[in-house]
Amino acid sequence: MPARVLLSWAWFFLVLLSYYVLKPLRDGLATENQSFGLLYLGTFLTSCVALPLYWRIVAATSRWQLVAGVHQFFVVWLVVSVKNHGCATRSSFGSASSTCTWWPSFGA
């Protein structure tokens, strides 16, 4: 198999994997707060604001710059959000004694 086909398959697999990992977390957070409507409204409004900005960036950059920039943005966003919420020092994954207030416990 050509390397591009394997790379494409791996990329698609990782995108789906991240979706199926993050979806239960998102739904768990919304269930905890009983705010499904506000969650979907916020997602819609954020998309309405972010997509035109993204389209302008796509038009102004090359594909390699775009992919690198998007990855860097999300890595920085994840690191900053973890540091701001104090969840980097968790003793065990998903423990009830965790100090994370935004991480769902899922019945723990």
Side-chain angles (χ1 to χ4, degrees), residues 5-66:
V5 173
L6 291 174
L7 182 62
S8 173
W9 181 87
W11 187 272
F12 184 70
F13 173 78
L14 291 173
V15 167
L16 286 180
L17 177 71
S18 65
Y19 174 75
Y20 284 110
V21 166
L22 292 176
K23 187 176 182 207
L25 296 176
R26 180 198 68 187
D27 292 345
L29 287 171
T31 303
E32 233 175 54
N33 299 328
Q34 302 294 327
S35 61
F36 274 119
L38 291 176
L39 179 69
Y40 289 119
L41 177 64
T43 303
F44 173 71
L45 293 176
T46 302
S47 296
C48 287
V49 170
L51 281 175
L53 177 63
Y54 178 74
W55 295 332
R56 287 185 182 186
I57 293 170
V58 167
T61 61
S62 70
R63 183 179 298 162
W64 293 108
Q65 289 173 327
L66 178 69

Side-chain angles (χ1 to χ4, degrees), residues 38-105:
L38 291 176
L39 179 69
Y40 289 119
L41 177 64
T43 303
F44 173 71
L45 293 176
T46 302
S47 296
C48 287
V49 170
L51 281 175
L53 177 63
Y54 178 74
W55 295 332
R56 287 185 182 186
I57 293 170
V58 167
T61 61
S62 70
R63 183 179 298 162
W64 293 108
Q65 289 173 327
L66 178 69
V67 170
V70 168
H71 281 104
Q72 289 171 0
F73 169 79
F74 282 108
V75 166
V76 168
W77 179 78
L78 287 171
V79 168
V80 167
S81 66
V82 166
K83 285 189 178 192
N84 284 342
H85 291 290
C87 297
T89 58
R90 294 175 60 126
S91 58
S92 64
F93 183 79
S95 66
S97 64
S98 171
T99 59
C100 293
T101 57
W102 59 273
W103 192 273
S105 60

